[in-house]
Amino acid sequence: MRLVAILSTLAAATLSPASQSGVPAAAAGDVRAVWVLRASLDSPAAVDAMIRTVADAGFNTVLVQVRGRGEAYYRSRIEPQPADLASQPGFDPLALAITRGHEAGLAVHAWVNVNLVSSAVTLPRATTHIVRQHPEWLMVPAALARDLSGVDPRSDRYLTALARWSRDQRDTVEGLYLSPITPAAQDYTVSVVRELVSSYPIDGLHLDYIRFPGAAFDYSAAGLAAFRASRLPHSTPAEIAAIDAAARRAPTAWADRLPDSWSDFRRARLTELVERIADTARTARPGLIVSAAVVPDADEARRSKAQDWAAWARDGLLDAICPMAYTTDPTVFARQVAAVRDAGAGLPVWAGVGAYRLTADETVRHVRLARDAGAGGFALFSYDSIAAGRRGGAAYFTRLRSVLQDNDAPR
């Protein structure tokens, strides 16, 4: 069963027809999007097939992952290309996706993993990779703060210890993260965005991993020193002396003694990075849509990830919010989407649907629930998992078609 026919039925059964005008539908507020992982951008044939499939299916927006782990699936003078493009020197995945996408009437958004810059399982080999160039900019968990406090970040021991710890925590920590606390690291990330947005006529910039991996980050020496410096004007000489004395025994003393200020500090630095990215992108390409994939629960996002997306929405840093509502429970899903709508300061909500976890009829149900909850669109995660048939191959697609042919499919 062809994926094109399946997804065409999905679009027809759930949403209004795609615009044939060629105007990016996202600008008109009608978003039927799909996330496309970088693995589907590794050859011209793969890009052509993806665009053809998505367009024929009735989607109007593609979020193409052009920066996954600190590598560029486009022409960059700043970041290295991945190894799978090394044998194709004339191939520019993003340029081709934009050309083919715009020809098909699709809006093409560059999906960028912001702070996540490397796998912890396989470290980048390129000497120009940011992990190799500036390991001192990487986030450090509290558990390693003492062990790494006196270690040269450029030594093999530093990166090896950080990667080993992250591998052991792979269920909760996706890899190595660049910290937004260090100004130079922020400058680097902003330069990556500036180059990308200035060089390509993309319709949107989609920010992912714009967060801390957890509340136990970033306890790097640079991060802790920056926090200490921020507190000096607000501390008495006696307080400074006492905490500095404690820090000689426990490097995390400043953060430990001032937990609320530490949390506020981390959130402020991440928000500053979001603001800089948004300003840079909009200046380079006026009219660009800036969106972000976020943790659905605003309080959890703010508390555990330093991701204060409700404030970002309120302050106009984003143009759309995409909650990663990947639950399989339809009741929880509807509640999450409605909560994001309520907390989102009136911004469009693109409901992130975890299609990789759902059966065909469950995917249809979630999309309809998103509409019922007031979402301005949806994004399926992901094109790659759907195309691969990871929920049962041909049997999955057969079931999906039979469900979508029934206009009374369960809501």
Side-chain angles (χ1 to χ4, degrees), residues 106-349:
L106 296 170
V108 180
H109 294 219
W111 167 16
V112 172
N113 286 356
V114 179
N115 292 332
L116 179 62
V117 292
S118 175
S119 164
V121 176
T122 304
L123 292 175
R125 294 183 178 180
T127 59
T128 55
H129 194 284
I130 192 60
V131 165
R132 301 293 185 182
Q133 287 287 308
H134 289 285
E136 74 276 15
W137 293 349
L138 295 174
M139 293 196 203
V140 172
L144 291 183
R146 181 189 295 274
D147 291 345
L148 295 184
S149 62
V151 179
D152 182 352
R154 294 188 175 276
S155 70
D156 289 341
R157 178 186 166 193
Y158 189 91
L159 195 55
T160 298
L162 191 53
R164 182 186 302 115
W165 185 92
S166 300
R167 286 195 298 272
D168 291 342
Q169 308 297 321
R170 63 171 59 92
D171 289 343
T172 55
V173 179
E174 298 86 353
L176 305 183
Y177 279 66
L178 204 64
S179 178
I181 292 178
T182 305
Q186 275 202 27
D187 291 344
Y188 174 81
T189 301
V190 171
S191 74
V192 170
V193 170
R194 181 182 297 110
E195 179 190 51
L196 170 63
V197 174
S198 299
S199 303
Y200 292 87
I202 55 176
D203 302 294
L205 177 69
H206 183 65
L207 308 177
D208 197 3
Y209 290 99
I210 185 72
R211 61 181 188 260
F212 283 66
F217 292 81
D218 164 34
Y219 288 79
S220 64
L224 292 170
F227 176 61
R228 176 186 180 275
S230 75
R231 296 308 306 166
L232 292 181
H234 310 286
S235 305
T236 67
E239 289 170 335
I240 294 170
I243 301 177
D244 280 347
R248 287 192 283 272
R249 299 185 301 272
T252 61
W254 278 89
D256 295 340
R257 297 282 186 93
L258 302 166
D260 292 341
S261 295
W262 171 240
S263 295
D264 292 343
F265 173 77
R266 296 183 315 131
R267 280 194 295 270
R269 286 300 175 94
L270 184 60
T271 295
E272 178 185 355
L273 176 59
V274 174
E275 182 174 12
R276 293 185 64 191
I277 287 174
D279 287 347
T280 297
R282 289 164 174 161
T283 298
R285 195 163 295 281
L288 185 82
I289 295 170
V290 180
S291 62
V294 302
V295 174
D297 187 308
D299 291 335
E300 178 189 353
R302 188 174 187 273
R303 180 180 63 255
S304 66
K305 306 293 186 180
Q307 185 186 67
D308 197 359
W309 58 257
W312 302 348
R314 185 175 60 248
D315 295 340
L317 304 186
L318 301 176
D319 299 307
I321 310 168
C322 192
M324 298 176 291
Y326 297 160
T327 177
T328 59
D329 186 321
T331 301
V332 173
F333 174 82
R335 185 168 62 244
Q336 288 179 332
V337 174
V340 172
R341 178 205 62 205
D342 292 343
L347 286 188
V349 174

Side-chain angles (χ1 to χ4, degrees), residues 345-362:
L347 286 188
V349 174
W350 305 343
V353 178
Y356 72 101
R357 304 182 64 191
L358 303 173
T359 62
D361 49 343
E362 288 169 341

